[in-house]
Amino acid sequence: MDVGRPFVVWNVFSAPEFSVTLDTSCFPVAGCVGYRGYFSEAAAQAYAQERRAAGRDVSVGGVSAYSTLGYLNDPVLSTMLAYPDATLIRTVIHELAHPALYVPGDTVFNESYATAVEEEGMRRWLAAHGTPELREQDRLAQERQSGFEALLLGARAQLEALYARPDLTGQRRREEKAAVLADLNARYTTLKAAWGGYAGYDAYFARGVNNASLGAVAAYAAMVPDFQALLARVDGHLPAFTESARVCAQRPQTERAACLRGS
């Protein structure tokens, strides 16, 4: 997330000290989600401080766009116009995906579905309307995003394995957690150098990576390969894709990823 970008909503993510599973907040219509959103940054920071005081890992992130799930006609907000063109197009596609399929209580399913639609929609939009400059802009941005996500998902997997070890004391877990996060920061420095010093993710790391911020990234990425496998099985036919995903959404939450993969 870039420094200085305007936001319309601030989301607060929290997680236990020794878990990468996000705490949930429950609301009418939307059901339970892995964050709590505020239109006021001050209110978001106040709630974040409450969660920290309760011993939680906390991350606060600004959001430039959101979906009302089809209950309202969502506008293109002025906060979105700070994006590069390719990112703006992706954001519109992503947010328009949510009304087509939304499962109350499963943030990872919902966001991964919208991200998969975003990927396919952007591929098609660029094929039909993209200029060479816009294609290159998007390619480079997605290359960096993929590297960023791989880095964070790898650290999340390390921490998940660490927290599952029954032989460790709380203090030893804290020490090993700190070592994993320090290594993550070092690997980001190496990745940034490979990008020629691109600093677009510096603000994310400057806030301090923890269980909550890693859980937030996973929400948008963890099940994307499963949705892409489903899209491939229906030969890229988006209505069939959404209908098949809706069938999987009716399964218990623990079975949905396998259902998407055809199991």
Side-chain angles (χ1 to χ4, degrees):
M1 195 170 297
D2 296 334
V3 176
R5 179 173 292 173
F7 303 124
V8 66
V9 170
W10 287 263
N11 285 341
V12 181
F13 300 89
S14 68
E17 182 183 10
F18 299 131
S19 173
V20 290
T21 300
L22 294 172
D23 296 325
T24 57
S25 295
C26 299
F27 307 93
V29 182
C32 299
V33 295
Y35 55 88
R36 186 172 292 190
Y38 292 84
F39 288 107
S40 162
E41 184 179 10
Q45 293 294 352
Y47 177 67
Q49 190 53 41
E50 289 180 19
R51 301 306 292 161
R52 292 188 187 98
R56 293 330 231 195
D57 278 14
V58 178
S59 177
V60 181
V63 177
S64 299
Y66 63 93
S67 170
T68 59
L69 306 179
Y71 289 93
L72 299 174
N73 292 324
D74 296 326
V76 175
L77 300 168
S78 61
T79 47
M80 298 164 62
L81 300 181
Y83 289 143
D85 288 348
T87 305
L88 174 60
I89 295 163
R90 281 180 170 273
T91 301
V92 170
I93 295 170
H94 183 104
E95 300 304 337
L96 286 175
H98 283 304
L101 178 58
Y102 181 85
V103 184
D106 196 339
T107 300
V108 174
F109 187 95
N110 296 327
E111 295 300 344
S112 294
Y113 164 78
T115 299
V117 173
E118 169 196 325
E119 290 288 340
E120 180 63 13
M122 187 61 172
R123 184 188 68 78
R124 297 184 187 191
W125 193 95
L126 286 172
H129 307 289
T131 63
E133 293 78 14
L134 192 59
R135 292 190 186 96
E136 177 57 19
Q137 179 190 102
D138 187 65
R139 184 202 65 77
L140 184 58
Q142 292 311 299
E143 179 182 283
R144 290 166 176 163
Q145 181 69 16
S146 295
F148 170 74
E149 288 179 355
L151 200 64
L152 297 179
L153 292 175
R156 183 180 183 274
Q158 285 181 275
L159 290 176
E160 196 167 32
L162 170 65
Y163 300 149
R165 290 178 56 186
D167 59 310
L168 299 179
T169 64
Q171 181 57 32
R172 184 59 185 274
R173 277 199 180 92
R174 288 186 191 96
E175 292 169 355
E176 296 208 14
K177 173 184 177 181
V180 169
L181 295 177
D183 179 64
L184 171 62
N185 280 277
R187 286 187 286 128
Y188 171 64
T189 299
T190 301
L191 183 61
K192 180 180 171 180
W195 290 338
Y198 173 75
Y201 297 105
D202 281 9
Y204 177 92
F205 282 89
R207 290 198 302 271
V209 183
N210 58 29
N211 293 337
S213 55
L214 291 173
V217 168
Y220 286 80
M223 291 178 68
V224 171
D226 303 317
F227 280 103
Q228 290 174 331
L230 172 59
L231 184 61
R233 285 205 313 281
V234 298
D235 297 322
H237 190 257
L238 285 171
F241 165 72
T242 297
E243 185 54 37
S244 297
R246 186 173 288 113
V247 170
C248 290
Q250 296 170 359
R251 300 272 291 271
Q253 187 168 348
T254 55
E255 299 176 10
R256 289 172 187 161
C259 177
L260 294 172
R261 294 191 296 269
S263 302

